[in-house]
Amino acid sequence: MKRNHWLIAAAYLLAGAAALTAALLTETKLDGIFFGLAGAGLGPGLVLLGQCFYRRKPERAQAYEEEQELQRIDREDEFKEMLRGKAARQLCSFHLLVTVLAMVVFTILGSFELVEGSRTVVLYLGGYLALQLVAATVVYDRLLKKYTE
């Protein structure tokens, strides 16, 4: 079992414990969020910790090594790598489309005065759309630079 798995489990558990402590020790409107974050940290942390202990036993070590080898082969498969790239591009386009459609819907709802503050929402979504486009360009340029030099 890699040390990284233990560290990730510990980080999840610590984050969940910190959020649970904040939720239990404070009386604010944010308690619901703190309890949600506590569950989001403690749940996966306990599952990862359980997997670490389960796979640690010697009789399961061989099966775990085989599973790791199959995952490594699967990650390095060129066809699947190409499919992951296409899926990422299509999902990025889909997210951009959903953001633009949400902007149109909030603009229409605001023009009919059905939603108050629609201008703020549209401006926020426009900023989010610009951030997505800039981030996609920056990531692409960095990857291109990394793999062509």
Side-chain angles (χ1 to χ4, degrees), residues 1 3-14 41-56:
M1 180 65 40
R3 183 174 181 228
N4 188 28
H5 293 284
W6 291 96
L7 294 176
I8 292 171
Y12 271 110
L13 288 171
L14 286 174
L42 292 174
L46 290 172
V47 168
L48 287 172
L49 193 63
Q51 286 177 350
C52 288
F53 281 113
Y54 179 80
R55 293 176 175 161
R56 189 174 177 195

Side-chain angles (χ1 to χ4, degrees), residues 80-96:
K80 289 185 179 180
E81 189 173 326
M82 181 203 56
L83 285 179
R84 283 190 295 269
K86 281 188 172 205
R89 281 190 297 278
Q90 289 177 3
L91 282 173
C92 183
S93 298
F94 176 74
H95 288 159
L96 293 174

Side-chain angles (χ1 to χ4, degrees), residues 96-128:
L96 293 174
L97 177 67
V98 168
T99 304
V100 169
L101 289 176
M103 290 174 66
V104 170
V105 167
F106 276 103
T107 302
I108 291 170
L109 291 174
S111 66
F112 288 123
E113 298 178 1
L114 296 173
V115 175
E116 291 183 28
S118 65
R119 178 173 162 72
T120 306
V121 173
V122 170
L123 289 174
Y124 170 77
L125 288 172
Y128 177 64

Side-chain angles (χ1 to χ4, degrees), residues 47-86:
V47 168
L48 287 172
L49 193 63
Q51 286 177 350
C52 288
F53 281 113
Y54 179 80
R55 293 176 175 161
R56 189 174 177 195
K57 293 187 178 183
E59 61 267 10
R60 296 187 185 104
Q62 181 65 29
Y64 177 67
E65 291 299 323
E66 290 173 4
E67 180 182 334
Q68 290 292 92
E69 181 64 20
L70 288 175
Q71 286 179 357
R72 185 191 62 75
I73 291 170
D74 202 30
R75 270 193 317 269
E76 294 174 2
D77 184 11
E78 290 179 15
F79 176 70
K80 289 185 179 180
E81 189 173 326
M82 181 203 56
L83 285 179
R84 283 190 295 269
K86 281 188 172 205

